[in-house]
Amino acid sequence: MSSTNTTAKETTEPADTSEMIAYYALIVVVVGTPLNILTFIILCRSTFRNANARPILHYMRAMAIFDILMLYGWNIDHYFSIMHGFQIQTSSMPVCRFFSFLNYFAPQSSAWLRVFVCWDRYLSLSRLHKTWFSHPKNVLTIIACIMIILFLLNCQMFFLACYYIAPGKITVFSLAFEIYPVWDYVNLGVYNCAPFILMVTFNSGVIYHLIQLRCTSTIRNSRIQHRSISIALVITTFMFLMMTIPATVGFAFFSTSYRPVLQFLDGLLYSYHILSFPLYIITFDEFRHNFINMIKCDKNNRRVGQEGITLAAPQQWNAARMNITT
């Protein structure tokens, strides 16, 4: 995921490899866009509208939106540059600067929203009462702060990135300073390293409390899905490590290496951001039942029993903890 994605295709690359990379990038867009839109639609259904009970839904909806936006940047230009010999990003100066900004802003926003999802889960399990972070209005404030901070971090792209190197020919580099690979180093820390460290820390705390709660609980038919939540957390964090960090590290430090390998890693990175729907289907029972009801056009839209909720509400955790303490 780098500015080097916007350069012309190297003639030394094997044609078959290049075409596979190009078509895979297109498949990610074609598959990922409707899946993320469907995720957002399901999370807006009446069953999930009560954000007071589960403010984490605000994060999940925002994640779906940013996961859509980040597919339309370097990823889609993999296809157009290889198959058609041009990049959308360099089609005009406003488009170039907008996509230079979006290519960093969207993935960073998506990553930090996931960090606060882990933080919300940790607080819901480790605190008996709602904290400041668990109130819906405050969650919206946190999301707004994330957007503002990351906008300010990357807004220099609107002013310093891109310039004409010839009449009608635009480059993504800057005359002011060496954006690339400098901003790839910044992106490595903001998009990968810091979020991953925080996700591991919060998820470790969640898993610890889940194990402790399960060992001390005398309620066999507890409504808290210990196993499913733990598995979901571990899978999400492990996938973030395996699918996003290699590409970011590669473009930051090895941008001149064998390009098909880097583009393959880039494909894995973008693939991570289209997996929310299948992960929710597998680990989030209420989401799965809503999807099935939507397919069946179930107008009753009856609330699914809380025993199937993977992302449990804070009240649910608290009730179980109170049972333990009594």
Side-chain angles (χ1 to χ4, degrees), residues 271-326:
S271 298
Y272 174 79
H273 292 276
I274 70 172
L275 295 179
S276 292
F277 181 82
L279 286 176
Y280 292 161
I281 287 291
I282 295 171
T283 63
F284 194 177
D285 289 347
E286 191 174 6
F287 183 91
R288 180 169 61 252
H289 288 302
N290 268 268
F291 173 64
I292 295 173
N293 289 340
M294 189 171 67
I295 293 177
K296 293 180 179 179
C297 298
D298 186 357
K299 296 182 179 180
N300 293 328
N301 196 23
R302 184 167 51 87
R303 177 176 288 276
V304 180
Q306 293 297 318
E307 66 273 11
I309 298 178
T310 298
L311 301 177
Q315 293 89 342
Q316 203 172 353
W317 298 109
N318 296 339
R321 288 173 62 84
M322 291 300 290
N323 286 333
I324 296 171
T325 56
T326 56

Side-chain angles (χ1 to χ4, degrees), residues 232-263:
L233 289 170
V234 172
I235 289 176
T236 299
T237 305
F238 180 76
M239 290 177 63
F240 186 84
L241 168 65
M242 298 302 296
M243 298 181 70
T244 67
I245 292 181
T248 312
V249 171
F251 280 112
F253 298 103
F254 309 101
S255 59
T256 59
S257 300
Y258 189 51
R259 287 195 48 78
V261 174
L262 294 178
Q263 291 179 329

Side-chain angles (χ1 to χ4, degrees), residues 127-247:
R127 299 293 186 272
L128 290 175
H129 303 287
K130 274 189 175 183
T131 65
W132 183 90
F133 297 93
S134 301
H135 292 278
K137 291 183 179 180
N138 297 334
V139 169
L140 293 175
T141 301
I142 293 172
I143 294 175
C145 289
I146 294 173
M147 303 301 102
I148 292 172
I149 292 172
L150 294 177
F151 176 86
L152 294 175
L153 176 66
N154 296 286
C155 68
Q156 48 88 18
M157 295 293 183
F158 287 118
F159 309 102
L160 302 179
C162 306
Y163 64 93
Y164 286 102
I165 57 176
K169 189 173 183 180
I170 299 172
T171 179
V172 298
F173 294 95
S174 171
L175 292 172
F177 72 101
E178 189 178 0
I179 294 181
Y180 310 104
V182 172
W183 220 247
D184 289 326
Y185 300 150
V186 174
N187 188 58
L188 176 62
V190 177
Y191 172 59
N192 287 114
C193 297
F196 178 73
I197 291 172
L198 292 173
M199 288 168 64
V200 170
T201 301
F202 297 147
N203 287 348
S204 298
V206 169
I207 294 172
Y208 168 78
H209 285 290
L210 283 171
I211 295 174
Q212 188 178 49
L213 185 62
R214 182 166 185 168
C215 292
T216 57
S217 178
T218 58
I219 306 174
R220 288 189 177 183
N221 295 323
S222 174
R223 292 182 177 182
I224 301 174
Q225 298 293 314
H226 305 278
R227 178 180 174 82
S228 60
I229 296 176
S230 300
I231 292 176
L233 289 170
V234 172
I235 289 176
T236 299
T237 305
F238 180 76
M239 290 177 63
F240 186 84
L241 168 65
M242 298 302 296
M243 298 181 70
T244 67
I245 292 181

